[in-house]
């Protein structure tokens, strides 16, 4: 068994990855990554590409290459004032309003979906919407979702995923001027589920987005949120929480693009790993564009490795194209239990397994507390407790 | 009546330079209601003794014994020692992010007693102890030791001492880094717990300052991993005046 701990590893510019169709020119900036809605525009994936090299691509060949079932994925949407839920055509202007696919699996989904699920918020009084999604079976599927928060609207949207899945999808999130939106993508899939999700957000002037990725269940779950802070004064808070058990691969490639001046971003992802071949990947790219003066950004990732045979990759990248910024920083740390914390708890009579659970719980709870929804927080704490209950004495 | 008996204790640690012996034959008996001060220069092994009693994995016991009322302490895990009635107030209490003081104390109390404390009396005891140690009620909802000042951490250790009710407590340099007001508050706390529960105390310190507020029944001078001299409170006064030179400058103690 091996246990690799990667700390503060920064990937150098451009060695082994694809750069759009057959281009020999290295991608110089994260912003210049090739994007298209067409599957055939992307070459076959070798597994050496920058965006695939940490993913077990053999397990997602069908989602990368094969025809996908693009019929509407069954959804259940809770009622809330001022919220509409509808299926829209591929040529609806809302489709593509936040971004385009940047890799082959996302493009395959984009080429395959028949209708997009659109959820639109208009209420200036905060509302809460839950989109419950469950595939009827584990056939390879494509989906497309557009969540739009109209100007000055307020709300929380929970995408609640459970059941079986082999799903490649794109989620677009548009936060129009002055709106405040929280989107939580919650992955509590069945143990053998595979899920690739590219989530694109556009945040307009003085609007703010809180985006939360919670990945607990599934065999291979890769959620890549990409946020463009497009309007002056836009803010993005990107949070993540994951807990990988034996054999699970949980990945997130986070991108924040500061385009407009005085934009603010905070990225905070925390994960725990327990069991043989528990694997997590976090890549955090922050790009501060040349017009994004006065911006303030900070990204961090922390991983707690609870057993032998687990591996966490953590790769923060920061690109700055203007000298006039308020702040920019990143941090990454991956480590084992702090033995002194355990000793302290045990010296007060707390048995070792319970001491470990308490420390992990404390580690993860920081992100949960930032979600800002009591019912969801309680539910996530219970889910974390259930994960922790399975931990053996290490 | 409880007795902690330490006999001919030899302890070493592993370092980059190999195995280093620290304790070289310690003999000590602490009974309920007694206050023993262990004084000695830096590096004499005082903290090693404290952590060995508590069972820190860094220290290897090469020979000798520690028993609590006849039970073999060295055979117990760290948490079993706490359950048996031992307590260590640490010199550098550890921060535990995301775990509130309230949750921590209740978890510890529940683990020690084998059942959750009755809510009403627990809340009252906690409040009383926090007030006595001049800790704001808001501390219960803060994370354990996170962002606490040095003095707040030490007062929090004494709150634990008061609530967890051990039989024998080892206080490892509890006085270090405290201003005179905090020193008085902490000392009052120790004296109160001793009076209320007949606690036996092993007070480890470098300075005589705390002994103005906590009167020891016995003073042991610790030099090079063993007790070089022992006496009553008057020995502390002598150390105050003469320092440790008499023990370290003369013939080496081997």
């Amino acid at each position: 068994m091996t246990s690799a701990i990667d700390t503060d590893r920064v990937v150098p510019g451009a060695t082994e990855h694809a750069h759009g169709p057959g281009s020999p020119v290295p991608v110089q900036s994260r912003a210049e990554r090739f994007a298209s809605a067409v599957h055939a525009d992307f070459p076959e994936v070798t597994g050496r590409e920058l965006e695939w090299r940490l993913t077990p691509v053999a397990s997602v060949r069908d989602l990368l290459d094969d025809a996908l079932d693009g019929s509407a994925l069954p959804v259940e949407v809770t009622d809330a004032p001022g919220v509409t839920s509808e299926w829209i055509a591929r040529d609806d202007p809302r489709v593509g309003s936040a971004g385009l696919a940047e890799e082959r699996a996302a493009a395959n989904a984009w080429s395959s979906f028949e209708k997009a699920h659109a959820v639109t918020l208009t209420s200036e009084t905060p509302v809460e919407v839950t989109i419950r999604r469950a595939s009827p079976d584990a056939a390879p599927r494509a989906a497309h979702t557009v969540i739009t928060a109209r100007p000055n609207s307020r709300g929380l949207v929970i995408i609640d995923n459970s059941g079986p899945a082999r799903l490649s999808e794109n989620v677009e999130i548009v936060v129009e001027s002055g709106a405040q939106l929280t989107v939580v993508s919650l992955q509590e899939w069945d143990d053998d589920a595979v899920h690739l999700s590219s989530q694109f957000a556009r945040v307009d002037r003085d609007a703010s987005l809180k985006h939360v990725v919670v990945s607990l269940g599934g065999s291979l779950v890769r959620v890549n949120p990409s946020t463009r802070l497009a309007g002056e004064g836009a803010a993005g808070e990107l949070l993540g929480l994951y807990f990988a058990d034996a054999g699970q691969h949980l990945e997130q490639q986070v991108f924040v693009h500061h385009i407009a001046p005085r934009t603010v971003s905070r990225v905070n992802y925390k994960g725990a790993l327990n069991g043989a071949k528990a694997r997590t990947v976090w890549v955090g790219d922050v790009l501060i564009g040349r017009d994004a003066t006065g911006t303030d950004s900070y990204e961090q990732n922390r991983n707690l490795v609870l057993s032998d045979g687990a591996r966490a990759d953590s790769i923060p990248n920061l690109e700055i194209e203007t000298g006039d910024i308020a702040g920019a920083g990143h941090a990454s740390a991956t480590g084992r239990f702090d033995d002194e914390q355990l000793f302290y708890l045990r010296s007060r009579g707390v048995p070792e397994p319970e001491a470990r659970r308490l420390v992990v719980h404390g580690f993860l709870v920081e992100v949960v507390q930032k979600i800002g929804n009591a019912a969801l927080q309680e539910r996530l704490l219970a889910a974390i407790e259930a994960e922790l209950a399975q931990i053996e004495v290490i | 009546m409880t007795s902690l008996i330490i006999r001919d204790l030899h302890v070493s640690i592993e370092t980059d330079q190999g195995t280093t012996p620290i304790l070289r034959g310690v003999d000590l008996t602490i009974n309920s209601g007694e206050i023993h001060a262990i004084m000695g220069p830096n590096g004499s092994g005082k903290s090693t003794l404290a952590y060995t009693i508590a069972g820190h994995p860094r220290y290897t016991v090469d020979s000798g014994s520690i028993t609590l009322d006849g039970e073999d302490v060295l055979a117990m895990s760290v948490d079993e020692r706490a359950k048996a009635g031992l307590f260590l107030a640490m010199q550098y209490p550890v921060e535990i992010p995301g775990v509130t003081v309230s949750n921590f104390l209740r978890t510890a109390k529940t683990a020690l007693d084998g059942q959750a404390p009755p809510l009403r009396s627990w809340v009252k005891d906690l409040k009383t102890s926090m007030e006595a140690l001049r800790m704001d009620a808001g501390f219960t909802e803060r994370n354990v030791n996170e962002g606490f000042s040095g003095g707040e951490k030490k007062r929090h250790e004494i709150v634990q001492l008061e609530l967890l009710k051990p039989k024998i407590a080892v206080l490892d340099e509890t006085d270090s880094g405290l201003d005179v007001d905090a020193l008085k508050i902490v000392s009052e706390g120790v004296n109160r717990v001793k009076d209320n529960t007949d606690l036996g105390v092993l007070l480890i310190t470098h300075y005589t300052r705390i002994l103005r507020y906590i009167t020891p029944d016995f003073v042991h001078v610790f030099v090079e991993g063993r007790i070089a001299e022992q006496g009553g409170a008057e020995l502390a006064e002598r150390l105050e005046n003469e320092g440790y030179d008499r023990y370290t400058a003369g013939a080496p103690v081997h």
Side-chain angles (χ1 to χ4, degrees), chain A residues 270 338-352 354 358-359 361-363 365-366 369, chain B residues 51 54 56 77-79 82-83 87-88 90 94-99 104 107-108 111-112 145 157 160:
Chain A
K270 288 186 128 179
D338 181 335
D339 288 337
E340 297 305 321
Q341 289 180 351
L342 290 180
F343 176 73
Y344 190 71
L345 290 167
R346 294 183 68 203
S347 78
R348 297 323 186 224
V350 181
E352 185 166 5
E354 196 179 352
L358 211 51
V359 170
H361 186 276
F363 173 78
V365 83
E366 183 197 353
Q369 285 169 343
Chain B
Y51 279 89
H56 195 285
S77 67
V78 176
D79 44 292
K83 287 193 183 80
F87 180 89
L88 170 63
M90 298 194 197
V94 179
E95 296 182 7
I96 307 179
V99 179
F104 164 65
T107 302
L112 288 171
N145 293 323
E157 294 292 284
Q160 295 170 49

Side-chain angles (χ1 to χ4, degrees), chain B residues 111-220:
Chain B
L112 288 171
D113 293 359
Q115 59 180 9
L119 189 63
R120 187 170 297 181
S121 62
W122 170 250
V123 170
K124 184 168 154 282
D125 290 350
L126 177 59
K127 189 161 172 273
T128 306
S129 181
M130 300 277 287
E131 275 172 10
L133 284 146
R134 319 278 202 284
M135 292 189 81
D136 189 88
F139 272 96
T140 54
E141 290 316 309
R142 287 176 60 180
N143 292 333
V144 173
N145 293 323
E146 210 175 54
F148 287 25
S149 71
E152 287 162 351
K153 286 180 182 171
K154 297 299 176 70
R155 282 184 273 157
H156 178 223
E157 294 292 284
I158 305 306
V159 167
Q160 295 170 49
L161 176 70
E162 183 149 39
L163 293 171
L164 302 181
K165 297 187 171 41
K167 294 172 180 161
I168 304 283
V170 181
L171 311 183
D172 186 17
E173 306 217 7
T174 296
D175 52 335
S176 68
L178 294 184
D179 62 33
V180 68
D181 292 331
L183 184 65
K184 281 183 193 168
I185 292 166
V186 161
S187 301
E188 280 167 21
V190 174
N191 289 329
R192 185 175 60 248
V193 175
K194 189 212 148 195
D195 291 344
N196 291 342
T197 66
D198 204 28
L199 179 73
V201 178
L202 182 61
L203 182 68
I204 292 175
T205 180
H206 185 76
Y207 304 103
T208 53
R209 198 171 62 127
I210 194 172
L211 304 182
R212 287 178 219 150
Y213 306 102
I214 300 177
T215 310
D217 301 300
F218 305 93
V219 173
H220 312 267

